Each structure stands twice: as structure tokens, then as C-alpha cells.
Amino acid sequence: MGKRSSFVRKDRDFYPTPLPAVYPLLPHLDSETAFVEPCAGDGALVEHLEAAGHQCLGSSDIEPQVEWIDRLDVFDLEKCGGDVFITNPPWDRMILHPLITHLSYIAPTWLLFDGDWAHTKQAVQFLPRLKKIVSIGRVKWIEGSSSTGKDNCAWHLFSSPESDQILFFGRGHKNPLHDFGE
């Protein structure tokens, strides 16, 4: 998980996406967005997005946790089949960085990972592809835990490099929780 965590990381960074981490992304998606989830794990993110009215046109993972997710390495994807990729990828930079490049060449790509990344030297080469950052703060990754993660998180939108402008949306930009009756 995070750089300051004393917890042993789960294999392949498998941490299902909790619903509160999805809420800040929703105002940034068009109504009924058709998406593909290429690191779907147990399908939690797919289920949250579909419950919000979006349509999953494909879900895959290198190690699917449920039978309805296809077994496929994200780097074998050659097309999106939807409007956008949306995923909570592994945070390991040896995977994350090539994944940013690979997916964003195919289609606009929303990735959920640590918010500090955009402020590091390692991010510089990817900044021309970065279009939006939607801050969500700390996430409770482990269901039933009393603790949140130690890293602030954000949704990052990557696409082909067309401009140098990166839009930042801080926490509380628009609260979609009201749309869900909470």
C-alpha cells in the first residue's frame, strides 16, 4: 500500500476499491459512461460504477478474483472498447508507470493511486499526459479496519498529450454523496 505503512502488502497490490473512494470521481464522468476496468480484481470498482449508472463494457485482471472477470494482462490490451479506462491499479512504480503510458495511448484513463506521486521527479515524464487530479484524501482500504491508509489518494486522468494544463480538484469540490442518499 503506502510508503509509510508497516503492514505487509498484499500480493499484486490487491486492495478492493471501497465505495467512498469512488464518490469523488463521479462528477467527472459523463452520464452513462461506457468504461473498461483492466485491473478489476474482485470487481468492486465495476459494481460501484455500475450502481452509479455507468456501463462496464469489459473487465479483466491478471488474477481475477471472481468468475465474471476475464483473465488478461493489462499490457495485452490493444483497444478500450469503451469511452475510458477506469481502474485502481497496482501502485508499484515498475507496473504503474508503464501502465500509464500503455493505457493512455489507447484511451483516456482514470487511475486511483497516491496523490503525492504528482509532486515527485518520477512523475515529470508523465505530466504531459496528466489532465486532471481529483483529490480524495485517505482511504480505508481494508473493510472492517478501524484505520485508513497513510497516504492521501487521488484519481488521475491521463490521455494523449494535447496541452500542458492539469486541472486539480480538491476534496469537497462537489459532494456526490447526496446523489446516493447518504
Side-chain angles (χ1 to χ4, degrees), residues 14 43 53 76 85 90 92 106 117 120 123 130 138 143-144 154 166 175:
F14 173 64
D76 291 335
F85 289 111
D92 180 307
I106 298 170
W117 173 87
T120 65
L130 183 59
R138 296 189 179 183
E143 189 175 345
I166 300 170
N175 186 352

Side-chain angles (χ1 to χ4, degrees), residues 20-21 23-25 27-28 112 115 133-140 148-155 167-177:
Y23 289 138
L25 175 64
H28 300 275
L112 174 60
I133 299 172
V134 179
S135 179
I136 62 173
R138 296 189 179 183
V139 175
K140 185 184 286 191
T148 62
K150 295 183 179 185
D151 290 300
N152 288 307
C153 300
W155 284 100
L167 301 175
F168 176 80
F169 297 87
R171 292 179 65 190
H173 161 68
K174 180 178 176 186
N175 186 352
L177 293 176

Side-chain angles (χ1 to χ4, degrees), residues 92-182:
D92 180 307
R93 299 323 193 218
M94 297 298 288
I95 298 169
L96 179 65
H97 289 162
L99 188 131
I100 290 168
T101 303
H102 178 70
L103 292 180
S104 66
Y105 270 114
I106 298 170
T109 302
W110 281 103
L111 301 175
L112 174 60
F113 58 92
D114 58 296
D116 280 353
W117 173 87
H119 304 281
T120 65
K121 287 181 182 179
Q122 64 183 323
V124 170
Q125 66 180 314
F126 304 99
L127 295 181
R129 303 191 83 70
L130 183 59
K131 305 304 170 201
K132 282 187 184 181
I133 299 172
V134 179
S135 179
I136 62 173
R138 296 189 179 183
V139 175
K140 185 184 286 191
W141 293 105
I142 301 170
E143 189 175 345
S145 171
S146 61
S147 302
T148 62
K150 295 183 179 185
D151 290 300
N152 288 307
C153 300
W155 284 100
H156 301 78
L157 175 63
F158 296 91
S159 67
S160 60
E162 296 164 359
S163 73
D164 292 333
Q165 184 178 24
I166 300 170
L167 301 175
F168 176 80
F169 297 87
R171 292 179 65 190
H173 161 68
K174 180 178 176 186
N175 186 352
L177 293 176
H178 301 293
D179 298 338
F180 287 86
E182 294 185 17

